[in-house]
Amino acid sequence: MSNRTFTMIKPDAVKAGNIGNILQMIYAGGFRIVAMKYLQISKQQAEKFYEVHASRPFYGELTDFMSSGPIVAAILEKDNAVIDFRTLIGATNPAQAEEGTIRKKYATSISENAVHGSDSDENAAIEGNFFFNGLERF
Ligand code: ATP
Ligand code: MG
């Protein structure tokens, strides 16, 4: 078990004005912010980030969406960070997300689902390193 995970507030949630609401839920969930930035990624960068999904039918749609507008990327810290953050965000499909989760509140569909959360300690480290260097972590 590691104590860090990586998240993105996705373009749909940024456009809807939910950065503040989502950060509030992240703090209320007991997470500390280690690193954070507001930026827009290119289609190529989105393809690299989601490389594991390259063979999935939604890969084109996903990478178009993730490069369609600004996002907030962050590294978060808490005991059991990866699992606890997946619990806080809820199921990929908001229709199946538990009450009180970020996706239940702010996601609109399976493709535009407000937030990303790493699925393992290994991927949390890879994804954090994709966005942040050592001088950007506190
Ligand atoms: P994330 O990795 O963004 O935290 P997740 O781990 O819950 O989400 P994954 O299976 O890793 O879900 O899928 C990555 C992303 O791809 C999803 O968050 C969603 O935006 C998109 N996606 C997944 N399945 C579908 C689908 N069937 N149709 C459209 N988009 C999908
Ligand atoms: Mg995933």
Side-chain angles (χ1 to χ4, degrees):
M1 154 182 138
S2 109
N3 62 351
R4 287 188 179 187
T5 191
F6 171 79
T7 187
M8 293 180 285
I9 300 176
K10 296 185 179 185
D12 59 323
V14 171
K15 279 196 191 87
N18 287 325
I19 294 175
N21 293 327
I22 291 171
L23 288 179
Q24 201 159 19
M25 287 182 74
I26 289 171
Y27 280 125
F31 293 86
R32 187 181 80 76
I33 292 170
V34 173
M36 179 154 65
K37 58 177 71 162
Y38 182 58
L39 79 167
Q40 182 164 356
I41 58 173
S42 67
K43 170 85 172 168
Q44 260 186 329
Q45 288 167 325
E47 286 171 345
K48 176 84 187 134
F49 184 87
Y50 281 109
E51 213 164 31
V52 293
H53 293 313
S55 64
R56 309 285 282 278
F58 55 82
Y59 184 61
E61 182 192 350
L62 171 63
T63 52
D64 280 344
F65 168 60
M66 288 304 296
S67 58
S68 69
I71 61 167
V72 174
I75 297 172
L76 305 176
E77 189 171 74
K78 179 186 185 295
D79 287 348
N80 207 25
V82 166
I83 289 168
D84 286 1
F85 193 68
R86 298 286 297 195
T87 302
L88 179 65
I89 69 179
T92 310
N93 184 347
Q96 280 145 26
E98 299 276 335
E99 281 305 326
T101 61
I102 293 175
R103 282 172 169 162
K104 182 71 179 185
K105 281 194 156 146
Y106 299 116
T108 51
S109 69
I110 191 168
S111 48
E112 305 209 352
N113 60 6
V115 282
H116 165 81
S118 303
D119 61 11
S120 66
D121 291 345
E122 188 193 0
N123 284 334
I126 292 169
E127 292 170 1
N129 291 338
F130 185 91
F131 281 90
F132 298 100
N133 68 40
L135 295 172
E136 297 170 319
R137 299 167 194 230
F138 307 96

